[in-house]
Amino acid sequence: MLGMFYHLDAANSWRAQITVSNSFVPSDKIPLMQSSLEKLRKFFRLEAENKYSNTAVIGGLAKILDFWESEARNEAVPEDIIQLVAMRLRDYHRLTPASRADTLKGVWKRIQGQGDINIPEPVYSEAGSQPEGAATRMSARDEALAGAPIIEEHHAPRREHHPRPDSAHRSAPVPQPGPAPEQQRRQAPPRSNSYPGAQTSQTPAALNADLTVLHGVGPRNAESLKKLGMHTLGDMLYNFPRRYDDYSQLKPIRSLQYGEVVTVIGHIQSVVERKVRSGKMTILEAVVSDSTGVLRISWFNQPWLINRLKEGMAIALAGKIEQYLGRLVMNSPDWEPIETEHLHTNRIVPIYPLTASITQKWLRQQMDTVVNYWANRVADPLPESVRRAAGLLMLAEAIQQAHFPGSQDKLKAARERLAFDEVFYLQMGVLRQKRKSQAVVGRIFDVPDEWLAERIAGLPFPLTGAQKRSIDDVCVDIGSGRPMNRLIQGDVGSGKTVVAALAAMMVNRQGSQVAVMAPTSILAEQHFKNFSRFLIADGLLAEGQVRLLTGDTSQGDRETLLAGLSSGEVKILIGTHALIEDPVIFKDLQLVVIDEQHRFGVDQRAALRNKGQNPHLLVMTATPIPRSLALTLYGDLDLSVIDEMPAGREPVATFVLTPHERERAYSLIRAQMKAGHQAFIVYPLIEESEKLDTLKAAVDDHARLSKEIFPNLKLGLLHGKMKPDEKDAVMADFRDKKYDILVSTTVIEVGVDVPNATVMLIEGANRFGLAQLHQLRGRVGRGGGESFCLLIPDSADSAENERLKAMQETNDGFKLAELDLQQRGPGEFIGTSQSGYATSLKMASLTDVGLIEKARKHAAELFAVDAELSQPEHALLAEAFNRFWGQGKGDVS
């Protein structure tokens, strides 16, 4: 492949083995020549003896490339020589005899070590090409495309969506004679450069060619492929299958079982076509037999097959065994005559994403053509030292095996290599971001031990050990001379807010300002009350120095607040997205606190930090983050984990009930209401029209619960389609005990503090992730005493309830987060803030801690040697890295 490494001394030795000459010299004059070059010399000499008639090899001189390229690579012939030979021979049949002679002599001079040779312009002589004497210089793009398994399409084929089923083959087709139309040569290169090997000096320019250069891909098909993210040949290389069907295990017909996906080989006994539904549908039925039995096959609305399926034909069928009237049948299977190479059968078959008018078989044929030819021509950006140390495949082999695997083991190895690349780039970006933040000077804030001890002693409750460790981390960070970049991770109610308040005290002590941004108005108001309680009650700040800014702040209050902020009188500003608006100007912002940081985008967080001069950053999340995600998405942040709950906080008793046991839940709620407590009832949907089967919906059940179940209680309603001020009003009323029960969707998940609530009933619990259920459970039991979480799934299905039983067995959010990541992927944790970095990974799984740790280890080792990837041997890696990160825009987390 184009990224192949070979030692300089080996290259010099190779040069020394060639005797310089201007003709194809006898072999006894060339000592120790590689076998591949000796064969090439013999073919060239025979072609010269035949007066350059392209008859040295049956089928043309280009046929030798089927075996010669791999042999030359095995003998470490330099890749530039291999590419030169391949390029010239694939275009050889189009040249006049005189141009052929000049071409072969020029190639041989290059092999002999005489450097770049001015090979005369080729003169075309075959039908449909340029007339002799009218040759023009081939463009760089045409040279890159010369001999490739592609042609320039003049017109879209009449039936481009239905290629002949026997047209599949693995070898590259011979290009059509004649140069590309001039108007297509002048087209601007495609904009897409999404594949890691794009636009490097070692990568063929043809990989940036539009897909219409492929045989059988006209403008209409090209537009359809663009909907799948494929604009160029390079895009196709990285359009990996979404799954695989393993048809490699052939079975005799008598051994087939219902439900199996198998490949069957037999002979067609009969083929019958019949129409049903008044002629609106056609069914083609065939009976296929082997030596063990017969199997009935059906195809629906494919009448053209009657002309292709003939009695007595040997055929391979791949599909699922189904049952009809007690007989085993196979409906609409993939099929091929067994004389073909079985591209679609008798192997592990890739299944690609599709769009309208594109069939699986047609796309698979196109992918096979591109992958089979171009995978070996993509430069490998991963340094050889890293690849060998990590035990990974070469990129070319990984791409080939990822598309058309020879075995399950080879597929696993291919996916590991490609996944490693993605995580490796992700880790390199995380390390670079962390290095960038550490290179900036930050304000030093001294924290005397006596002063801190006094502040902690003045709190209305004792701190846990985990809280004390987090505070110590903050003290070290803000005294280091570098901006703090710390993530505090802890369960709901673990006491993150008091750590943030103490950090604010440390900064305020030296007269600087603090900004606290929360995702909702009610959560911002909650922080305002807590910060005021900690700082004003302690006498550190006066009334008016802690202010709240939300969308509901009146214009008069806003003007006063902004004036105090710019003058430095306001020391702590707490609010929502309103904090990042232009009128908000700080005099000396030195600490930014962001709560539930994954609810904010990268640009929003950056905008707030930019309101100060390299301020310290403290972000908090109540979502337990699995270790693999913390290493990947938040690796640029230092991590403090609060894994202890405050004294007196009892675990929430959790129970999984079947739908038939719902009345038991209602009885518990009534009992808690009599005791003066409150309850949440949470639904996954808000309207009847959005139901799946009999799924409950908050809006619809609110009325039923009010009238039939709890007629003597006051029920509030909260859902995501309400306006922000309406949500805040309902939550405030519930907090102030104006409602006994709050019927809600998951908008109450984040940050709402209602100490009097003791029951959380979650309908359709199987529709939620475990991390989300754990967040909802954390909304109750915040006032001390006994509290309950009741989970009711849609059905009594035991498997689904087994998953939910993990909620019964543990209150450890980290254990549940790991389980949730394995079951549901990273979407539960990363929100919408990560700019698609994690969700756009094609091969890597953020549940694979082992792979992530391996990629992180090798990324760190390389980063320590060449952090900027400026060394020549890392040039390809630098290009691939910059493409992956979009030229390094924004923060990682």
Side-chain angles (χ1 to χ4, degrees):
M1 57 179 296
L2 295 178
M4 178 181 290
F5 292 86
Y6 55 90
H7 297 293
L8 184 59
D9 56 350
N12 291 333
S13 173
W14 173 84
R15 293 289 187 193
Q17 293 172 5
I18 306 298
T19 299
V20 177
S21 173
N22 288 327
S23 61
F24 311 124
V25 297
S27 60
D28 58 356
K29 303 294 184 182
I30 305 178
L32 303 177
M33 178 183 286
Q34 287 99 327
S35 173
S36 58
L37 296 177
E38 171 65 16
K39 291 177 182 177
L40 190 67
R41 184 193 62 80
K42 290 180 178 180
F43 285 124
F44 281 15
R45 187 175 182 182
L46 181 58
E47 182 66 12
E49 292 174 356
N50 292 345
K51 302 184 184 303
Y52 303 101
S53 58
N54 199 22
T55 56
V57 178
I58 296 176
L61 196 57
K63 287 293 184 181
I64 70 170
L65 296 175
D66 293 344
F67 64 87
W68 185 86
E69 287 182 272
S70 59
E71 182 178 347
R73 288 191 177 91
N74 289 336
E75 294 179 349
V77 173
E79 191 65 25
D80 59 341
I81 295 299
I82 297 175
Q83 291 300 309
L84 176 66
V85 172
M87 183 188 305
R88 294 300 188 237
L89 294 193
R90 288 196 178 90
D91 204 40
Y92 187 77
H93 71 284
R94 298 174 56 198
L95 308 179
T96 64
S99 281
R100 290 171 180 171
D102 291 335
T103 295
L104 296 190
K105 290 176 182 178
V107 169
W108 194 250
K109 286 180 180 180
R110 176 68 178 275
I111 291 174
Q112 290 173 321
Q114 295 189 16
D116 294 331
I117 303 296
N118 289 325
I119 300 175
E121 302 288 354
V123 179
Y124 299 87
S125 64
E126 298 191 17
S129 61
Q130 292 175 324
E132 186 172 346
T136 59
R137 182 70 175 174
M138 295 178 71
S139 68
R141 179 172 180 272
D142 291 331
E143 288 196 47
L145 296 179
I150 54 180
I151 63 170
E152 298 283 1
E153 289 284 10
H154 295 209
H155 303 285
R158 182 176 300 177
R159 297 185 63 173
E160 57 182 321
H161 302 305
H162 302 289
R164 293 180 57 183
D166 59 352
S167 64
H169 49 81
R170 298 300 299 264
S171 59
V174 177
Q176 298 296 317
E182 189 65 26
Q183 65 271 22
Q184 292 202 20
R185 288 186 191 171
R186 294 175 180 173
Q187 287 179 345
R191 292 186 295 272
S192 175
N193 291 309
S194 58
Y195 57 95
Q199 287 191 337
T200 70
S201 58
Q202 299 183 42
T203 301
L207 286 178
N208 287 318
D210 190 272
L211 296 182
T212 53
V213 301
L214 279 169
H215 179 68
V217 178
R220 285 180 298 170
N221 273 346
E223 286 300 315
S224 296
L225 292 174
K226 286 179 181 179
K227 296 177 183 178
L228 298 171
M230 290 180 281
H231 301 260
T232 68
L233 297 181
D235 292 335
M236 290 190 74
L237 284 181
Y238 280 80
N239 175 56
F240 296 115
R242 59 184 173 87
R243 65 179 177 85
Y244 303 84
D245 287 341
D246 191 351
Y247 295 153
S248 60
Q249 301 299 317
L250 293 173
K251 295 189 71 173
I253 290 177
R254 71 178 178 187
S255 300
L256 298 178
Q257 295 182 2
Y258 173 75
E260 289 183 311
V261 177
V262 295
T263 295
V264 176
I265 288 182
H267 287 81
I268 297 178
Q269 285 190 345
S270 63
V271 183
V272 177
E273 180 184 10
R274 60 188 180 90
K275 297 183 182 298
V276 295
R277 296 179 184 173
S278 302
K280 294 181 180 180
M281 185 172 75
T282 299
I283 299 179
L284 197 70
E285 294 182 340
V287 175
V288 174
S289 66
D290 63 9
S291 60
T292 68
V294 296
L295 183 66
R296 188 172 299 276
I297 315 296
S298 298
W299 286 274
F300 302 93
N301 287 328
Q302 299 182 55
W304 59 84
L305 293 180
I306 193 69
N307 298 319
R308 299 180 184 175
L309 301 174
K310 305 298 182 182
E311 291 186 11
M313 175 190 291
I315 188 173
L317 300 151
K320 184 176 181 180
I321 300 299
E322 301 180 67
Q323 201 169 39
Y324 178 69
L325 298 179
R327 296 178 180 177
L328 295 183
V329 299
M330 188 180 280
N331 293 322
S332 302
D334 289 332
W335 68 275
E336 288 181 283
I338 62 172
E339 294 81 11
T340 65
E341 199 177 338
H342 301 309
L343 175 61
H344 307 282
T345 56
N346 198 25
R347 60 173 297 136
I348 300 173
V349 177
I351 306 298
Y352 293 96
L354 298 177
T355 187
S357 76
I358 295 294
T359 67
Q360 190 65 239
K361 191 170 184 178
W362 179 87
L363 179 57
R364 195 181 297 134
Q365 288 177 219
Q366 300 297 334
M367 295 300 303
D368 181 71
T369 298
V370 173
V371 171
N372 190 46
Y373 185 85
W374 286 112
N376 277 332
R377 289 155 175 80
V378 175
D380 193 336
L382 197 65
E384 180 77 356
S385 58
V386 175
R387 187 185 66 79
R388 290 187 179 277
L392 302 171
L393 296 180
M394 294 286 287
L395 181 60
E397 184 179 2
I399 292 175
Q400 289 172 328
Q401 292 296 325
H403 285 282
F404 299 99
S407 67
Q408 289 290 349
D409 288 341
K410 291 181 178 178
L411 173 60
K412 180 180 178 182
R415 292 180 68 88
E416 181 182 0
R417 163 61 207 265
L418 297 166
F420 179 93
D421 284 3
E422 293 177 338
V423 180
F424 185 83
Y425 298 143
L426 197 59
Q427 293 294 342
M428 287 290 290
V430 165
L431 291 169
R432 181 171 290 188
Q433 181 66 29
K434 189 167 186 177
R435 178 174 174 266
K436 178 182 176 183
S437 64
Q438 290 176 341
V440 177
V441 176
R443 179 95 50 93
I444 295 176
F445 291 89
D446 295 321
V447 183
D449 293 340
E450 300 81 5
W451 178 89
L452 181 59
E454 186 179 343
R455 300 284 79 73
I456 294 176
L459 295 173
F461 45 77
L463 296 181
T464 64
Q467 286 174 310
K468 292 176 181 178
R469 289 192 296 272
S470 299
I471 292 168
D472 290 341
D473 291 338
V474 170
C475 291
V476 172
D477 288 347
I478 65 175
S480 68
R482 298 284 182 266
M484 174 172 62
N485 285 280
R486 183 162 295 277
L487 169 65
I488 295 184
Q489 178 183 351
D491 251 338
V492 174
S494 61
K496 298 181 297 297
T497 302
V498 69
V499 176
L502 285 166
M505 293 180 194
M506 299 172 193
V507 172
N508 290 149
R509 175 177 171 271
Q510 294 182 210
S512 297
Q513 294 171 301
V514 178
V516 181
M517 186 163 68
T520 66
S521 295
I522 192 164
L523 187 54
E525 182 181 346
Q526 192 168 291
H527 282 313
F528 172 71
K529 291 181 178 178
N530 287 329
F531 273 70
S532 298
R533 178 161 57 104
F534 293 139
L535 280 77
I536 296 176
D538 198 10
L540 294 176
L541 296 179
E543 291 284 349
Q545 289 187 306
V546 180
R547 297 297 301 267
L548 175 68
L549 177 63
T550 68
D552 295 332
T553 303
S554 67
Q555 186 61 33
D557 288 345
R558 184 182 295 262
E559 292 176 357
T560 302
L561 183 156
L562 294 177
L565 193 67
S566 60
S567 69
E569 180 184 352
V570 174
K571 297 301 181 184
I572 297 180
L573 180 61
I574 301 169
T576 56
H577 300 77
L579 269 62
I580 63 176
E581 295 174 356
D582 289 339
V584 179
I585 300 175
F586 292 82
K587 181 180 181 181
D588 184 26
L589 177 63
Q590 285 300 316
L591 174 63
V592 171
V593 178
I594 298 178
D595 194 16
E596 292 302 331
Q597 67 92 34
H598 65 289
R599 299 295 173 121
F600 297 99
V602 170
D603 293 339
Q604 292 170 320
R605 295 194 296 270
L608 184 54
R609 292 192 81 173
N610 288 338
K611 291 182 178 291
Q613 185 66 34
N614 301 328
H616 297 284
L617 174 67
L618 185 67
V619 297
M620 303 186 295
T621 180
T623 302
I625 303 171
R627 184 162 173 261
S628 58
L629 278 183
L631 287 173
T632 306
L633 298 180
Y634 308 114
D636 61 320
L637 299 174
D638 297 309
L639 182 63
S640 293
V641 178
I642 302 180
D643 52 6
E644 300 175 51
M645 297 301 288
R649 181 79 185 266
E650 296 184 16
V652 178
T654 304
F655 303 94
V656 178
L657 306 177
T658 68
H660 299 295
E661 297 176 300
R662 187 173 283 113
E663 184 54 42
R664 292 178 58 192
Y666 294 157
S667 297
L668 176 63
I669 291 175
R670 293 187 189 100
Q672 288 294 306
M673 299 304 100
K674 288 182 180 179
H677 298 300
Q678 294 168 281
F680 293 97
I681 300 180
V682 178
Y683 294 84
L685 298 177
I686 65 169
E687 294 179 344
E688 184 76 25
S689 61
E690 297 180 50
K691 282 189 177 182
L692 300 175
D693 302 323
T694 59
L695 194 60
K696 297 294 180 180
V699 171
D700 303 290
D701 265 25
H702 174 259
R704 183 184 67 84
L705 291 170
S706 299
K707 294 179 181 178
E708 301 175 14
I709 309 300
F710 306 111
N712 299 322
L713 299 175
K714 292 173 288 184
L715 278 66
L717 175 63
L718 184 69
H719 59 75
K721 289 190 175 180
M722 297 170 67
K723 295 179 181 179
D725 56 343
E726 293 175 334
K727 295 179 189 176
D728 290 344
V730 171
M731 276 307 311
D733 288 344
F734 183 59
R735 181 189 57 204
D736 296 339
K737 303 181 182 180
K738 294 182 180 178
Y739 296 121
D740 301 299
I741 299 172
L742 182 63
V743 178
S744 174
T745 59
T746 56
V747 294
I748 54 96
E749 174 187 346
V750 176
V752 179
D753 190 1
V754 183
N756 193 47
T758 58
V759 181
M760 170 66 67
L761 169 61
I762 303 175
E763 292 278 4
N766 54 297
R767 304 285 177 176
F768 297 87
L770 294 179
Q772 195 174 25
L773 290 173
H774 184 65
Q775 285 267 321
L776 291 169
R777 177 167 63 182
R779 294 299 109 217
V780 298
R782 299 172 68 86
E786 192 175 24
S787 57
F788 307 90
C789 178
L790 309 177
L791 307 175
I792 303 181
D794 297 336
S795 68
D797 184 272
S798 59
E800 196 64 59
N801 287 344
E802 282 296 323
R803 186 180 75 83
L804 295 178
K805 282 182 180 178
M807 291 288 295
Q808 286 186 165
E809 295 167 359
T810 181
N811 270 263
D812 187 330
F814 293 96
K815 290 182 180 179
L816 293 172
E818 291 286 355
L819 182 59
D820 213 20
L821 180 62
Q822 295 170 12
Q823 294 179 345
R824 295 170 67 93
E828 293 291 315
F829 305 94
I830 64 176
T832 59
S833 67
Q834 304 308 325
S835 301
Y837 291 134
T839 54
S840 66
L841 299 180
K842 296 180 179 180
M843 284 291 186
S845 169
L846 294 179
T847 64
D848 192 342
V849 178
L851 177 68
I852 290 171
E853 290 181 334
K854 181 164 77 169
R856 184 177 180 82
K857 170 181 175 291
H858 290 290
E861 290 174 353
L862 181 62
F863 192 82
V865 174
D866 184 14
E868 296 299 325
L869 300 179
S870 58
Q871 297 177 9
E873 60 268 30
H874 298 150
L876 286 174
L877 179 61
E879 293 180 17
F881 170 81
N882 288 333
R883 268 188 302 277
F884 182 86
W885 279 98
Q887 305 301 324
K889 297 177 182 177
D891 292 331
V892 178
S893 56

